[in-house]
Amino acid sequence: MTPSQLLGSWSFTRTIADHRSRSEYRAGGTATFGAEPDGRIRWFEEGRLVWQARSSAFTRTLFLVPPAGDNADWSVTFEDGRFFHPWSADEVVHLCGRDTYRGDVDSLTSPDPGAAADCQAAWTLTWRVTGPAKDYTMRTHYQPCVGSRV
């Protein structure tokens, strides 16, 4: 799956299983992938995180950066331009202090059996985070609907 295949709006559902506290968090919202004039793709998420009897709105911005110079692969950066990880079909690893993030993208698949009739292929991003400060699994399922893709 190439970043250009992501252009458009996707709905997402996210589960976060905190293995230390045995808590589960859920989130849902919209992820928009938009082409920037400099060739990057802006990955903007907005949604609502729910846990126990509480909820909170959130946003997040990342960028998918095209290959440049000797680099033949796309990369993912934080909003401020710091490198996050390569965009890869294989597992990626990001060190954050003493915690380790291991990410895996399941490529475009057919729609979920329960998806609306107008929904197309989907993809899933899973992060397994371990270390002295964190121990959780976060799984995000992205699903577009007809008319939302560029």
Side-chain angles (χ1 to χ4, degrees), residues 84-106:
F84 186 14
H85 61 81
W87 180 261
S88 173
D90 300 319
E91 179 185 73
V92 296
V93 176
H94 171 75
L95 300 176
C96 182
R98 295 177 28 209
D99 297 315
T100 302
Y101 288 66
R102 295 185 184 284
D104 183 49
V105 173
D106 290 330

Side-chain angles (χ1 to χ4, degrees), residues 39-73:
R40 296 179 304 160
I41 295 174
R42 183 176 184 258
W43 177 351
F44 177 74
E45 292 185 353
E46 59 184 333
R48 182 155 292 279
L49 177 67
V50 178
W51 71 104
Q52 297 171 348
R54 294 178 274 185
S55 71
S56 177
F58 70 90
T59 63
R60 176 177 82 155
T61 301
L62 299 170
F63 286 94
L64 298 166
V65 180
D70 293 338
N71 184 7
D73 299 317

Side-chain angles (χ1 to χ4, degrees), residues 4-65:
S4 59
Q5 290 177 281
L6 303 175
L7 291 172
S9 293
W10 301 70
S11 62
F12 71 84
T13 56
R14 177 173 293 150
T15 58
I16 304 166
D18 185 323
H19 304 297
R20 288 198 176 131
S21 69
R22 293 189 167 85
S23 299
E24 184 169 282
Y25 303 80
R26 295 197 175 278
T30 302
T32 304
F33 293 82
E36 295 285 303
D38 62 3
R40 296 179 304 160
I41 295 174
R42 183 176 184 258
W43 177 351
F44 177 74
E45 292 185 353
E46 59 184 333
R48 182 155 292 279
L49 177 67
V50 178
W51 71 104
Q52 297 171 348
R54 294 178 274 185
S55 71
S56 177
F58 70 90
T59 63
R60 176 177 82 155
T61 301
L62 299 170
F63 286 94
L64 298 166
V65 180

